[in-house]
Amino acid sequence: MSEMEEDGQVGIGELVVITGMTGAGRSTAAKELEDLGFFVIDNLPPSMLAEAVRIVDAGQGRSQRIGVVVDVRSGSFFQGLRSALAHGVRGRNTTLVFLDATDDVLVRRQEAARRPHPLQEGGRLLDGLQRERFVLADLRSDADLVIDTTNLNVHQLTDRIAEAFGTLATTQLRVTTISFGFKYGIPVDADYVADMRFLPNPHWVPELRSHTGRDRDVSDYVLSRPGAQEFLDKYVDLLTGVAEGYLREGKRFMRVAIGCTGGKHRSVAMSEEIASRMQELGYLARAIHRDLGRE
């Protein structure tokens, strides 16, 4: 249960539009929205968005949260979606979510599902994906939240959707700090990336090697190294300034990736500390650890 729900507060008028690449997880995201209490409409022609909202408002009331899934089968209707989102839907706080993944992962998922791509047109599956990327390029750039599912399993994707929409604190920014290991790749959906490899590595301290950045001894070691506090002070100040700008522009999500070599010690400790400081400043902040336990 989210913090807002625990406090007994209920948001009004949430409308979440989910789109993205075939195989990136739209169905999984839609199912999670249903579990969160959304009224979900799949494969809705964008030109019918306002009418669908009106019908739900009339039948369920404006407090009913709505999720709409739009895919490439809607074709030329996408321009209507951009227009509808640009002008807003009356009485609704609208978020456009774009799900993406690398081509090789999307190909593997489609082949495993034994389904042709809707734009394949008798050619290769990859050809269909490339056509889809072209069609969806503008929508991706317009998205309020881009989720890269390349390295996410079903449970991790549902966690991301719950993280984003499990509360309806629409006036607050949700800040997620993600620790990661550079040797496993940079999170491609991060808004900001910081490198903690300027700090000494606890891996080379025998009594700390088996511990993680969530343990007090490792955290104290990392945070006490020369330059650590200076970095935190300046970086949190930077993030605070950006966060205020995000809120002015109507953005409600910030993902900050904090990396070290393996994603076990330095990045974990610093991610936890940055999330804690952002919480103290009044933001909805949490730390997640992508590669912890992977070594």
Side-chain angles (χ1 to χ4, degrees):
M1 181 179 293
S2 66
E3 295 97 341
M4 289 290 289
E5 289 168 338
E6 290 172 347
D7 292 339
Q9 301 181 46
V10 179
I12 302 297
E14 187 88 348
L15 171 63
V16 176
V17 178
I18 294 178
T19 189
M21 297 294 294
T22 299
R26 292 189 308 260
S27 296
T28 298
K31 179 61 171 63
E32 178 62 16
L33 287 183
E34 284 186 335
D35 291 343
L36 293 172
F38 281 73
F39 185 95
V40 176
I41 307 169
D42 195 4
N43 195 29
L44 179 75
S47 60
M48 297 179 62
L49 181 61
E51 179 64 11
V53 170
R54 187 193 67 77
I55 292 172
V56 174
D57 285 349
Q60 304 288 334
R62 289 193 174 184
S63 63
Q64 174 60 58
R65 293 176 286 176
I66 302 174
V68 174
V69 181
V70 180
D71 65 29
V72 75
R73 289 174 292 177
S74 299
S76 61
F77 289 116
F78 273 120
Q79 191 58 41
L81 175 61
R82 296 189 73 200
S83 176
L85 294 176
H87 291 90
V89 178
R90 188 175 63 180
R92 294 280 169 176
N93 300 304
T94 303
T95 300
L96 176 61
V97 179
F98 192 99
L99 302 181
D100 204 351
T102 59
D103 284 348
D104 60 327
V105 168
L106 294 175
V107 167
R108 287 200 301 270
R109 290 175 182 172
Q110 285 299 100
E111 289 178 342
R114 298 184 178 180
R115 295 176 182 172
H117 191 279
L119 297 184
Q120 193 167 337
E121 300 176 357
R124 299 180 306 161
L125 181 55
L126 184 59
D127 295 333
L129 288 170
Q130 291 172 344
R131 293 188 186 101
E132 186 177 32
R133 284 202 185 280
F134 178 78
V135 170
L136 298 181
D138 288 338
L139 274 182
R140 192 186 195 284
S141 65
D142 289 344
D144 299 297
L145 177 62
V146 176
I147 300 178
D148 185 279
T149 69
T150 299
N151 296 309
L152 301 184
N153 60 35
V154 170
H155 301 295
Q156 291 169 327
L157 176 55
T158 57
D159 285 346
R160 288 291 309 275
I161 297 298
E163 169 195 324
F165 303 109
T167 76
L168 292 177
T170 56
T171 60
Q172 291 181 274
L173 185 73
R174 298 176 177 93
V175 180
T176 302
T177 61
I178 312 105
S179 70
F180 72 95
F182 277 97
K183 68 180 181 180
Y184 301 118
I186 298 173
V188 297
D189 52 352
D191 298 301
Y192 293 90
V193 177
D195 185 352
M196 296 300 102
R197 290 176 295 183
F198 71 93
L199 297 171
N201 191 347
H203 175 82
W204 303 115
V205 181
E207 60 269 26
L208 299 180
R209 180 175 301 176
S210 63
H211 295 187
T212 78
R214 302 182 79 172
D215 295 317
R216 176 60 65 86
D217 52 355
V218 174
S219 178
D220 288 347
Y221 176 87
V222 171
L223 298 181
S224 65
R225 297 307 92 186
Q229 293 299 319
E230 291 83 355
F231 167 80
L232 284 166
D233 292 341
K234 293 178 180 179
Y235 199 60
V236 170
D237 186 55
L238 168 67
L239 294 178
T240 301
V242 172
E244 293 305 308
Y246 271 28
L247 289 171
R248 287 193 297 270
E249 294 299 314
K251 295 181 180 293
R252 295 186 290 128
F253 311 97
M254 178 189 289
R255 290 178 61 79
V256 181
I258 308 296
C260 64
T261 302
K264 179 179 179 180
H265 295 115
R266 294 166 290 181
S267 62
V268 173
M270 296 296 270
S271 293
E272 291 280 352
E273 180 65 17
I274 291 171
S276 176
R277 292 193 181 198
M278 295 301 285
Q279 288 175 358
E280 292 174 358
L281 292 170
Y283 297 100
L284 293 175
R286 60 176 294 193
I288 61 176
H289 306 296
R290 192 192 72 178
D291 297 325
L292 194 58
R294 191 168 179 175
E295 77 285 344

